mmCIF file of all heavy atoms in Angstrom:
data_model
loop_
_atom_site.group_PDB
_atom_site.id
_atom_site.type_symbol
_atom_site.label_atom_id
_atom_site.label_comp_id
_atom_site.label_asym_id
_atom_site.label_seq_id
_atom_site.Cartn_x
_atom_site.Cartn_y
_atom_site.Cartn_z
ATOM 1 N N PHE A 1244 -75.905 60.402 63.314
ATOM 2 C CA PHE A 1244 -77.219 60.890 63.745
ATOM 3 C C PHE A 1244 -78.144 61.060 62.546
ATOM 4 O O PHE A 1244 -79.318 60.669 62.576
ATOM 5 C CB PHE A 1244 -77.079 62.196 64.518
ATOM 6 C CG PHE A 1244 -78.377 62.756 65.001
ATOM 7 C CD1 PHE A 1244 -79.105 62.109 65.989
ATOM 8 C CD2 PHE A 1244 -78.898 63.922 64.456
ATOM 9 C CE1 PHE A 1244 -80.318 62.616 66.440
ATOM 10 C CE2 PHE A 1244 -80.112 64.429 64.901
ATOM 11 C CZ PHE A 1244 -80.818 63.781 65.892
ATOM 12 N N ALA A 1245 -77.620 61.641 61.456
ATOM 13 C CA ALA A 1245 -78.423 61.837 60.245
ATOM 14 C C ALA A 1245 -78.863 60.484 59.677
ATOM 15 O O ALA A 1245 -80.011 60.325 59.235
ATOM 16 C CB ALA A 1245 -77.637 62.625 59.217
ATOM 17 N N ALA A 1246 -77.968 59.506 59.709
ATOM 18 C CA ALA A 1246 -78.311 58.174 59.214
ATOM 19 C C ALA A 1246 -79.397 57.553 60.084
ATOM 20 O O ALA A 1246 -80.335 56.911 59.568
ATOM 21 C CB ALA A 1246 -77.070 57.288 59.189
ATOM 22 N N MET A 1247 -79.282 57.725 61.387
ATOM 23 C CA MET A 1247 -80.289 57.182 62.300
ATOM 24 C C MET A 1247 -81.648 57.840 62.070
ATOM 25 O O MET A 1247 -82.686 57.168 62.079
ATOM 26 C CB MET A 1247 -79.845 57.359 63.757
ATOM 27 C CG MET A 1247 -78.693 56.450 64.141
ATOM 28 S SD MET A 1247 -78.025 56.780 65.770
ATOM 29 C CE MET A 1247 -79.374 56.298 66.816
ATOM 30 N N LYS A 1248 -81.646 59.159 61.858
ATOM 31 C CA LYS A 1248 -82.908 59.851 61.588
ATOM 32 C C LYS A 1248 -83.532 59.370 60.279
ATOM 33 O O LYS A 1248 -84.745 59.174 60.188
ATOM 34 C CB LYS A 1248 -82.682 61.370 61.546
ATOM 35 C CG LYS A 1248 -82.556 61.984 62.930
ATOM 36 C CD LYS A 1248 -82.557 63.476 62.881
ATOM 37 C CE LYS A 1248 -83.966 63.938 62.680
ATOM 38 N NZ LYS A 1248 -84.193 65.351 62.926
ATOM 39 N N ALA A 1249 -82.701 59.152 59.276
ATOM 40 C CA ALA A 1249 -83.209 58.662 57.992
ATOM 41 C C ALA A 1249 -83.769 57.251 58.152
ATOM 42 O O ALA A 1249 -84.837 56.930 57.594
ATOM 43 C CB ALA A 1249 -82.093 58.682 56.946
ATOM 44 N N ASP A 1250 -83.076 56.422 58.910
ATOM 45 C CA ASP A 1250 -83.576 55.069 59.163
ATOM 46 C C ASP A 1250 -84.912 55.100 59.902
ATOM 47 O O ASP A 1250 -85.824 54.336 59.590
ATOM 48 C CB ASP A 1250 -82.553 54.255 59.967
ATOM 49 C CG ASP A 1250 -81.335 53.881 59.147
ATOM 50 O OD1 ASP A 1250 -81.405 53.969 57.901
ATOM 51 O OD2 ASP A 1250 -80.317 53.509 59.767
ATOM 52 N N TYR A 1251 -85.012 55.990 60.877
ATOM 53 C CA TYR A 1251 -86.270 56.078 61.623
ATOM 54 C C TYR A 1251 -87.393 56.588 60.724
ATOM 55 O O TYR A 1251 -88.526 56.104 60.808
ATOM 56 C CB TYR A 1251 -86.135 56.986 62.851
ATOM 57 C CG TYR A 1251 -87.450 57.094 63.594
ATOM 58 C CD1 TYR A 1251 -87.891 56.043 64.372
ATOM 59 C CD2 TYR A 1251 -88.269 58.217 63.468
ATOM 60 C CE1 TYR A 1251 -89.119 56.095 65.029
ATOM 61 C CE2 TYR A 1251 -89.488 58.284 64.107
ATOM 62 C CZ TYR A 1251 -89.913 57.225 64.888
ATOM 63 O OH TYR A 1251 -91.119 57.277 65.516
ATOM 64 N N ALA A 1252 -87.095 57.552 59.865
ATOM 65 C CA ALA A 1252 -88.116 58.068 58.950
ATOM 66 C C ALA A 1252 -88.623 56.942 58.046
ATOM 67 O O ALA A 1252 -89.836 56.822 57.813
ATOM 68 C CB ALA A 1252 -87.562 59.217 58.131
ATOM 69 N N ALA A 1253 -87.727 56.102 57.578
ATOM 70 C CA ALA A 1253 -88.144 54.970 56.741
ATOM 71 C C ALA A 1253 -88.975 53.980 57.561
ATOM 72 O O ALA A 1253 -89.998 53.474 57.084
ATOM 73 C CB ALA A 1253 -86.910 54.283 56.151
ATOM 74 N N PHE A 1254 -88.546 53.711 58.779
ATOM 75 C CA PHE A 1254 -89.284 52.812 59.663
ATOM 76 C C PHE A 1254 -90.681 53.366 59.942
ATOM 77 O O PHE A 1254 -91.676 52.634 59.894
ATOM 78 C CB PHE A 1254 -88.512 52.647 60.982
ATOM 79 C CG PHE A 1254 -89.291 51.954 62.064
ATOM 80 C CD1 PHE A 1254 -89.383 50.580 62.091
ATOM 81 C CD2 PHE A 1254 -89.937 52.687 63.059
ATOM 82 C CE1 PHE A 1254 -90.105 49.932 63.089
ATOM 83 C CE2 PHE A 1254 -90.659 52.057 64.043
ATOM 84 C CZ PHE A 1254 -90.748 50.677 64.066
ATOM 85 N N ALA A 1255 -90.769 54.661 60.238
ATOM 86 C CA ALA A 1255 -92.050 55.289 60.552
ATOM 87 C C ALA A 1255 -92.995 55.218 59.358
ATOM 88 O O ALA A 1255 -94.196 54.952 59.529
ATOM 89 C CB ALA A 1255 -91.829 56.733 60.978
ATOM 90 N N LYS A 1256 -92.466 55.422 58.175
ATOM 91 C CA LYS A 1256 -93.322 55.375 56.988
ATOM 92 C C LYS A 1256 -93.803 53.945 56.734
ATOM 93 O O LYS A 1256 -94.985 53.718 56.442
ATOM 94 C CB LYS A 1256 -92.553 55.897 55.780
ATOM 95 C CG LYS A 1256 -93.395 56.006 54.546
ATOM 96 C CD LYS A 1256 -92.633 56.649 53.413
ATOM 97 C CE LYS A 1256 -93.535 56.785 52.202
ATOM 98 N NZ LYS A 1256 -92.832 57.339 51.057
ATOM 99 N N THR A 1257 -92.909 52.984 56.883
ATOM 100 C CA THR A 1257 -93.259 51.583 56.643
ATOM 101 C C THR A 1257 -94.294 51.082 57.648
ATOM 102 O O THR A 1257 -95.241 50.374 57.291
ATOM 103 C CB THR A 1257 -92.002 50.692 56.736
ATOM 104 O OG1 THR A 1257 -91.031 51.167 55.803
ATOM 105 C CG2 THR A 1257 -92.322 49.247 56.447
ATOM 106 N N ASN A 1258 -94.137 51.454 58.897
ATOM 107 C CA ASN A 1258 -94.997 50.943 59.970
ATOM 108 C C ASN A 1258 -96.128 51.894 60.360
ATOM 109 O O ASN A 1258 -96.806 51.667 61.353
ATOM 110 C CB ASN A 1258 -94.150 50.615 61.195
ATOM 111 C CG ASN A 1258 -93.219 49.462 60.921
ATOM 112 O OD1 ASN A 1258 -93.663 48.352 60.679
ATOM 113 N ND2 ASN A 1258 -91.921 49.736 60.915
ATOM 114 N N GLN A 1259 -96.303 52.959 59.599
ATOM 115 C CA GLN A 1259 -97.378 53.941 59.812
ATOM 116 C C GLN A 1259 -97.385 54.483 61.244
ATOM 117 O O GLN A 1259 -98.415 54.521 61.918
ATOM 118 C CB GLN A 1259 -98.732 53.329 59.470
ATOM 119 C CG GLN A 1259 -98.827 52.874 58.037
ATOM 120 C CD GLN A 1259 -100.134 52.177 57.724
ATOM 121 O OE1 GLN A 1259 -100.895 51.825 58.619
ATOM 122 N NE2 GLN A 1259 -100.407 51.977 56.453
ATOM 123 N N VAL A 1260 -96.215 54.912 61.686
ATOM 124 C CA VAL A 1260 -96.072 55.492 63.021
ATOM 125 C C VAL A 1260 -96.705 56.885 63.009
ATOM 126 O O VAL A 1260 -96.468 57.683 62.102
ATOM 127 C CB VAL A 1260 -94.581 55.582 63.429
ATOM 128 C CG1 VAL A 1260 -94.426 56.303 64.751
ATOM 129 C CG2 VAL A 1260 -93.976 54.192 63.493
ATOM 130 N N LEU A 1261 -97.522 57.157 64.019
ATOM 131 C CA LEU A 1261 -98.181 58.456 64.116
ATOM 132 C C LEU A 1261 -97.243 59.476 64.742
ATOM 133 O O LEU A 1261 -96.433 59.150 65.606
ATOM 134 C CB LEU A 1261 -99.449 58.348 64.960
ATOM 135 C CG LEU A 1261 -100.530 57.416 64.432
ATOM 136 C CD1 LEU A 1261 -101.672 57.312 65.440
ATOM 137 C CD2 LEU A 1261 -101.039 57.881 63.090
ATOM 138 N N GLU A 1262 -97.400 60.721 64.329
ATOM 139 C CA GLU A 1262 -96.628 61.811 64.921
ATOM 140 C C GLU A 1262 -97.189 62.110 66.317
ATOM 141 O O GLU A 1262 -98.376 61.918 66.576
ATOM 142 C CB GLU A 1262 -96.718 63.073 64.062
ATOM 143 C CG GLU A 1262 -96.019 62.946 62.720
ATOM 144 C CD GLU A 1262 -94.523 62.822 62.869
ATOM 145 O OE1 GLU A 1262 -93.946 63.497 63.752
ATOM 146 O OE2 GLU A 1262 -93.922 62.033 62.109
ATOM 147 N N MET A 1263 -96.345 62.597 67.180
ATOM 148 C CA MET A 1263 -96.796 62.985 68.520
ATOM 149 C C MET A 1263 -97.642 64.248 68.417
ATOM 150 O O MET A 1263 -97.308 65.165 67.673
ATOM 151 C CB MET A 1263 -95.607 63.246 69.443
ATOM 152 C CG MET A 1263 -94.848 62.013 69.775
ATOM 153 S SD MET A 1263 -95.928 60.922 70.671
ATOM 154 C CE MET A 1263 -94.811 59.709 71.208
ATOM 155 N N PRO A 1264 -98.747 64.299 69.169
ATOM 156 C CA PRO A 1264 -99.584 65.504 69.133
ATOM 157 C C PRO A 1264 -98.837 66.695 69.731
ATOM 158 O O PRO A 1264 -97.933 66.529 70.548
ATOM 159 C CB PRO A 1264 -100.794 65.140 69.987
ATOM 160 C CG PRO A 1264 -100.509 63.836 70.628
ATOM 161 C CD PRO A 1264 -99.292 63.258 70.008
ATOM 162 N N ALA A 1265 -99.245 67.885 69.326
ATOM 163 C CA ALA A 1265 -98.629 69.106 69.849
ATOM 164 C C ALA A 1265 -98.852 69.198 71.351
ATOM 165 O O ALA A 1265 -99.946 68.926 71.842
ATOM 166 C CB ALA A 1265 -99.215 70.325 69.151
ATOM 167 N N GLY A 1266 -97.816 69.517 72.084
ATOM 168 C CA GLY A 1266 -97.929 69.676 73.526
ATOM 169 C C GLY A 1266 -97.822 68.380 74.306
ATOM 170 O O GLY A 1266 -97.955 68.377 75.523
ATOM 171 N N TYR A 1267 -97.580 67.260 73.639
ATOM 172 C CA TYR A 1267 -97.471 65.976 74.328
ATOM 173 C C TYR A 1267 -96.155 65.892 75.085
ATOM 174 O O TYR A 1267 -95.109 66.251 74.567
ATOM 175 C CB TYR A 1267 -97.536 64.829 73.318
ATOM 176 C CG TYR A 1267 -97.248 63.478 73.933
ATOM 177 C CD1 TYR A 1267 -98.258 62.766 74.551
ATOM 178 C CD2 TYR A 1267 -95.970 62.936 73.913
ATOM 179 C CE1 TYR A 1267 -98.005 61.530 75.127
ATOM 180 C CE2 TYR A 1267 -95.707 61.710 74.485
ATOM 181 C CZ TYR A 1267 -96.722 61.014 75.088
ATOM 182 O OH TYR A 1267 -96.465 59.794 75.658
ATOM 183 N N THR A 1268 -96.234 65.444 76.319
ATOM 184 C CA THR A 1268 -95.024 65.161 77.083
ATOM 185 C C THR A 1268 -95.205 63.807 77.749
ATOM 186 O O THR A 1268 -96.294 63.457 78.206
ATOM 187 C CB THR A 1268 -94.755 66.217 78.175
ATOM 188 O OG1 THR A 1268 -95.824 66.196 79.100
ATOM 189 C CG2 THR A 1268 -94.585 67.609 77.594
ATOM 190 N N ALA A 1269 -94.137 63.044 77.796
ATOM 191 C CA ALA A 1269 -94.207 61.724 78.418
ATOM 192 C C ALA A 1269 -94.506 61.853 79.908
ATOM 193 O O ALA A 1269 -95.245 61.049 80.469
ATOM 194 C CB ALA A 1269 -92.900 60.972 78.196
ATOM 195 N N ASP A 1270 -93.945 62.866 80.571
ATOM 196 C CA ASP A 1270 -94.180 63.058 82.004
ATOM 197 C C ASP A 1270 -95.665 63.230 82.303
ATOM 198 O O ASP A 1270 -96.200 62.648 83.248
ATOM 199 C CB ASP A 1270 -93.418 64.276 82.528
ATOM 200 C CG ASP A 1270 -91.917 64.047 82.554
ATOM 201 O OD1 ASP A 1270 -91.500 62.873 82.512
ATOM 202 O OD2 ASP A 1270 -91.174 65.044 82.618
ATOM 203 N N GLU A 1271 -96.329 64.019 81.504
ATOM 204 C CA GLU A 1271 -97.756 64.259 81.709
ATOM 205 C C GLU A 1271 -98.550 62.963 81.528
ATOM 206 O O GLU A 1271 -99.442 62.645 82.318
ATOM 207 C CB GLU A 1271 -98.231 65.313 80.720
ATOM 208 C CG GLU A 1271 -99.659 65.750 80.901
ATOM 209 C CD GLU A 1271 -100.048 66.850 79.938
ATOM 210 O OE1 GLU A 1271 -99.185 67.675 79.594
ATOM 211 O OE2 GLU A 1271 -101.223 66.872 79.547
ATOM 212 N N GLN A 1272 -98.205 62.200 80.511
ATOM 213 C CA GLN A 1272 -98.902 60.939 80.254
ATOM 214 C C GLN A 1272 -98.650 59.927 81.373
ATOM 215 O O GLN A 1272 -99.563 59.232 81.805
ATOM 216 C CB GLN A 1272 -98.442 60.358 78.908
ATOM 217 C CG GLN A 1272 -99.268 59.201 78.438
ATOM 218 C CD GLN A 1272 -100.702 59.595 78.122
ATOM 219 O OE1 GLN A 1272 -100.970 60.701 77.656
ATOM 220 N NE2 GLN A 1272 -101.634 58.708 78.375
ATOM 221 N N ILE A 1273 -97.416 59.872 81.855
ATOM 222 C CA ILE A 1273 -97.082 58.949 82.947
ATOM 223 C C ILE A 1273 -97.840 59.331 84.214
ATOM 224 O O ILE A 1273 -98.398 58.470 84.907
ATOM 225 C CB ILE A 1273 -95.562 58.957 83.200
ATOM 226 C CG1 ILE A 1273 -94.845 58.282 82.024
ATOM 227 C CG2 ILE A 1273 -95.214 58.273 84.508
ATOM 228 C CD1 ILE A 1273 -93.351 58.501 82.009
ATOM 229 N N ASN A 1274 -97.880 60.611 84.534
ATOM 230 C CA ASN A 1274 -98.606 61.060 85.724
ATOM 231 C C ASN A 1274 -100.101 60.788 85.617
ATOM 232 O O ASN A 1274 -100.740 60.392 86.596
ATOM 233 C CB ASN A 1274 -98.350 62.543 85.977
ATOM 234 C CG ASN A 1274 -96.945 62.810 86.447
ATOM 235 O OD1 ASN A 1274 -96.293 61.943 87.031
ATOM 236 N ND2 ASN A 1274 -96.456 64.006 86.180
ATOM 237 N N LEU A 1275 -100.658 60.991 84.448
ATOM 238 C CA LEU A 1275 -102.087 60.719 84.240
ATOM 239 C C LEU A 1275 -102.375 59.237 84.427
ATOM 240 O O LEU A 1275 -103.337 58.856 85.107
ATOM 241 C CB LEU A 1275 -102.511 61.179 82.843
ATOM 242 C CG LEU A 1275 -103.972 60.953 82.480
ATOM 243 C CD1 LEU A 1275 -104.889 61.741 83.401
ATOM 244 C CD2 LEU A 1275 -104.215 61.349 81.031
ATOM 245 N N TYR A 1276 -101.547 58.385 83.855
ATOM 246 C CA TYR A 1276 -101.732 56.941 83.986
ATOM 247 C C TYR A 1276 -101.593 56.519 85.450
ATOM 248 O O TYR A 1276 -102.389 55.732 85.957
ATOM 249 C CB TYR A 1276 -100.714 56.196 83.119
ATOM 250 C CG TYR A 1276 -100.820 54.698 83.235
ATOM 251 C CD1 TYR A 1276 -101.816 54.005 82.558
ATOM 252 C CD2 TYR A 1276 -99.946 53.977 84.028
ATOM 253 C CE1 TYR A 1276 -101.932 52.628 82.665
ATOM 254 C CE2 TYR A 1276 -100.047 52.601 84.146
ATOM 255 C CZ TYR A 1276 -101.039 51.929 83.462
ATOM 256 O OH TYR A 1276 -101.146 50.577 83.578
ATOM 257 N N ALA A 1277 -100.585 57.043 86.132
ATOM 258 C CA ALA A 1277 -100.374 56.691 87.539
ATOM 259 C C ALA A 1277 -101.563 57.127 88.387
ATOM 260 O O ALA A 1277 -101.991 56.401 89.290
ATOM 261 C CB ALA A 1277 -99.089 57.334 88.053
#
């Protein structure tokens, strides 16, 4: 798990992945889109 998190951190830095905003939930976004 630690290795996977480190790999993701490197991937996020390389690809400029944005952090999720505070209070974001996928359910809320899916319902809004629907």
Side-chain angles (χ1 to χ4, degrees):
F1244 180 68
M1247 289 173 67
K1248 282 189 77 166
D1250 289 344
Y1251 179 75
F1254 169 82
K1256 185 175 182 183
T1257 303
N1258 294 296
Q1259 300 176 348
V1260 175
L1261 299 175
E1262 292 293 322
M1263 291 297 190
Y1267 172 85
T1268 62
D1270 290 341
E1271 185 177 327
Q1272 190 65 34
I1273 290 167
N1274 289 334
L1275 180 63
Y1276 178 78

